[in-house]
Amino acid sequence: MKSKYDIIVIGSGSGGLGVALGMKTFGFDVLMVEKDGNNIGGECLNSGCVPSKALIHVAELFAKGREAASYGLGGASGKADLQKVWEYVHGRQDMIRDHESLEYLREKEGLDIEIGYAKFSGRKEIEVNGKKFSAKKILVATGSRPRMINVNGMDNVNIYTNENLFHMEELPENMLIIGGGPIGMEMGQSFARLGSKVRVLEKHNRIMSKELPEVSTIVQERLEKDGIDFFLEHELVSFPEANMALLRDKSGNEKTIPCDAVLVGIGRTVSHEGLDIEKAGIKLKDKKVEIDDKLRAKDNKNIVFAGDAAGNVLFSHGAELHTTVLLTNFFTPSPFKQKFNLDHFSWCTFTDPEVCTFGLSEDEIKDRGISYERIDHSFESDDRAITSDYRYGKLILFLKKNWLNPRNGKILGGTVVAPGAGEMAQELIMANQQGLGAGAVFNKTYPYPVQTRVHKMALVEKFSSSISPTIKKLMKFLYH
């Protein structure tokens, strides 16, 4: 193995793999450093996106089976055999590992990979296993870790994060979810569908606080139909005895609830400690590196960041966006380098119903002083929602005011709440990213009755209601 490379990548998750494989494809010498050879693929493959979505799939089958009982199908009851569930989940992970393993990356992709802990030893140099390696650019893609609770009595219960959840030995009778964010809601609903009694503890007054309040309400109501109980504006006090949690509400009232398993989903922690990054001439501020809008360390622009380690967006596809910016800027002169921003970013929470949000939020639109229109469209009367039983669905769109052509304001952002919302929203996300106006949707003819036809119906309803009496008179005149 050489000691000098074009680029060194620390970490083999979504961000690290994206940059390493991209640079290798362009013909550059790449060294990847990963602390654990069994962790290739990072959190997404090993303890995040892949196993969670496989679990959601299995849990949905259980829910559909029980739902089918109301239409005459017998025998759809009982609890899941958790070990059989994990066989499926781990089997799906193994399939993806066929092209994200140490052997595959070395033999098929030709990457040089060093297994061990990397530490900086200079501005363009690291040390691993007593060996020093240097490169023009060094990418830090070391990910993040779950935030943990710290209360009395934690030895009295089995505590899980996403890092050990998918190896749980038995399906819990009573499961406590701490945190009402996406991880907690996805996994809480899944375990409820598998047969656990699930209770959710959230310190705020609603779940999924990054979404609009009406979106949170829809999701909570649907999760309650799966038997989940919610303790909003409550805090965890302690675990006073085996398999019991003590909670306190905002008025100071306390109560105990049973829990033989606790899933902590209260966010992630990004830290650059342990890398000796100061030896690269980089100062830490509150234990973090200051990163500019091109994903470079402000103190040493040859050190770049991707994935959770960048600290600005904690999604696997956020790492993909980082990769795009970095690979573009590596070959772009300074005046024309691309800036990282989230104006067209999107995310999906894979509960049932799914929630997909994209583009600018309403608060961001107001802060920028953009004149806009808001569309709130219920699926109550949508034909497909009626036939497939999701009339609770909702579409929220923000359109830039277009004074010359009111029907063609640019799509600035929005949210879809419905089964399969992540797929439904893709044409809206494309329109947002490409700067298209609402007319691209308004004038589209959809195969009846696809789910996405509701986008056009929302615009038809909006603009039909805004036709003035003067316009109606003019149209009658032109007609006759």
Side-chain angles (χ1 to χ4, degrees):
M1 193 174 290
K2 297 177 292 187
S3 61
K4 292 186 178 181
Y5 288 85
D6 294 310
I7 186 169
I8 295 171
V9 174
I10 306 174
S12 66
S14 300
L17 283 174
V19 172
L21 293 175
M23 292 296 284
K24 189 65 181 179
T25 299
F26 295 144
F28 289 87
D29 289 330
V30 180
L31 172 66
M32 174 177 282
V33 181
E34 170 54 55
K35 63 183 180 182
D36 183 356
N38 296 317
N39 194 51
I40 302 294
E43 185 208 12
C44 184
L45 171 57
N46 296 292
S47 59
C49 316
V50 173
S52 66
K53 301 312 165 282
L55 178 62
I56 288 170
H57 170 70
V58 175
E60 183 179 19
L61 296 179
F62 273 78
K64 295 300 183 186
R66 294 191 186 100
E67 185 179 335
S70 64
Y71 301 102
L73 179 67
S77 62
K79 295 183 178 181
D81 181 333
L82 193 59
Q83 293 312 310
K84 288 186 177 179
V85 174
W86 292 151
E87 285 178 16
Y88 176 83
V89 171
H90 299 156
R92 302 299 115 168
Q93 289 176 284
D94 289 341
M95 288 182 183
I96 295 175
R97 283 197 186 96
D98 285 344
H99 57 269
E100 284 191 16
S101 66
L102 185 61
E103 295 75 16
Y104 181 90
L105 294 174
R106 278 175 171 166
E107 296 171 11
K108 299 295 184 180
E109 298 292 350
L111 288 179
D112 285 355
I113 302 176
E114 185 78 17
I115 302 300
Y117 286 85
K119 293 181 181 293
F120 280 90
S121 53
R123 291 186 66 83
K124 298 182 181 181
E125 183 182 79
I126 64 168
E127 183 175 333
V128 189
N129 299 325
K131 296 176 284 187
K132 291 188 176 182
F133 303 94
S134 62
K136 177 179 175 58
K137 301 284 187 185
I138 298 177
L139 169 68
V140 177
T142 48
S144 63
R145 63 180 184 270
R147 287 182 57 205
M148 183 47 68
I149 57 173
N150 183 19
V151 298
N152 291 329
M154 291 174 60
D155 292 338
N156 288 328
V157 293
N158 295 313
I159 296 180
Y160 297 89
T161 68
N162 68 296
E163 293 183 343
N164 61 348
L165 177 68
F166 304 106
H167 297 278
M168 180 185 288
E169 293 184 359
E170 296 181 359
L171 186 69
E173 189 72 27
N174 293 284
M175 189 170 192
L176 174 61
I177 307 291
I178 301 178
I183 293 175
M185 295 306 89
E186 289 179 0
M187 296 299 93
Q189 185 177 45
S190 293
F191 275 88
R193 289 178 162 187
L194 294 177
S196 298
K197 175 58 186 177
V198 174
R199 298 171 177 87
V200 173
L201 170 67
E202 169 56 54
K203 67 180 181 179
H204 296 109
N205 62 359
R206 64 185 179 94
I207 62 171
M208 298 174 66
S209 58
K210 291 186 178 180
E211 304 292 349
L212 292 164
E214 53 266 56
V215 172
S216 300
T217 299
I218 292 172
V219 175
Q220 180 173 332
E221 289 175 350
R222 299 308 300 176
L223 295 184
E224 287 172 341
K225 291 183 179 296
D226 279 309
I228 298 177
D229 292 336
F230 290 87
F231 294 87
L232 304 180
E233 296 185 291
H234 280 68
E235 64 176 344
L236 175 66
V237 179
S238 67
F239 299 105
E241 56 184 280
N243 300 332
M244 295 294 291
L246 178 63
L247 312 182
R248 182 186 295 132
D249 67 19
K250 64 178 182 178
S251 299
N253 302 312
E254 295 184 347
K255 67 181 72 175
T256 57
I257 59 172
C259 60
D260 45 297
V262 178
L263 173 62
V264 181
I266 56 175
R268 312 281 302 178
T269 297
V270 178
S271 175
H272 303 110
E273 292 180 286
L275 288 171
D276 286 351
I277 204 164
E278 298 91 338
K279 293 182 179 178
I282 297 172
K283 297 177 182 178
L284 292 177
K285 185 176 182 180
D286 297 326
K287 298 182 180 180
K288 295 181 180 179
V289 176
E290 291 190 88
I291 300 171
D292 68 14
D293 57 10
K294 299 176 182 66
L295 304 175
R296 306 172 300 187
K298 289 185 176 180
D299 297 328
N300 182 350
K301 290 182 169 47
N302 291 307
I303 311 300
V304 295
F305 295 79
D308 288 5
N312 46 35
V313 56
L314 306 184
F315 292 98
S316 292
H317 58 291
E320 182 180 344
L321 178 57
H322 293 148
T323 296
T324 301
V325 172
L326 289 171
L327 290 178
T328 299
N329 287 346
F330 286 162
F331 313 110
T332 303
S334 292
F336 309 106
K337 288 188 185 297
Q338 182 178 337
K339 293 182 179 180
F340 174 80
N341 74 72
L342 297 171
D343 285 2
H344 304 296
F345 195 69
S346 60
W347 65 85
C348 187
T349 301
F350 294 91
T351 45
D352 179 15
E354 292 180 1
V355 178
C356 188
T357 297
F358 66 94
L360 299 177
S361 69
E362 189 165 18
D363 287 341
E364 288 171 326
I365 293 169
K366 290 178 179 178
D367 289 343
R368 298 184 187 192
I370 300 172
S371 297
Y372 74 100
E373 295 180 279
R374 172 171 170 155
I375 295 176
D376 286 80
H377 185 76
S378 167
F379 291 9
E380 181 71 26
S381 301
D382 178 71
D383 292 359
R384 181 61 184 274
I386 291 172
T387 61
S388 298
D389 198 23
Y390 59 92
R391 288 174 294 165
Y392 56 80
K394 191 175 185 66
L395 168 66
I396 300 168
L397 276 180
F398 304 114
L399 306 181
K400 185 176 182 179
K401 281 267 191 183
N402 187 326
W403 303 103
L404 296 177
N405 185 357
R407 294 186 181 184
N408 201 38
K410 287 186 178 181
I411 298 174
L412 299 173
T415 297
V416 181
V417 188
E423 308 304 325
M424 286 182 66
Q426 291 307 308
E427 67 174 5
L428 299 176
I429 294 170
M430 175 67 77
N432 172 252
Q433 290 181 339
Q434 298 302 316
L436 300 180
V441 175
F442 186 84
N443 296 318
K444 180 179 175 181
T445 302
Y446 291 80
Y448 179 86
V450 297
Q451 283 185 279
T452 48
R453 183 173 175 269
V454 73
H455 302 159
K456 179 173 182 174
M457 294 301 99
L459 295 172
V460 169
E461 181 181 270
K462 165 68 178 176
F463 296 125
S464 296
S465 65
S466 62
I467 299 175
S468 68
T470 302
I471 293 296
K472 290 179 180 179
K473 289 180 181 179
L474 176 61
M475 293 177 73
K476 284 185 178 180
F477 172 79
L478 294 173
Y479 178 78
H480 289 292

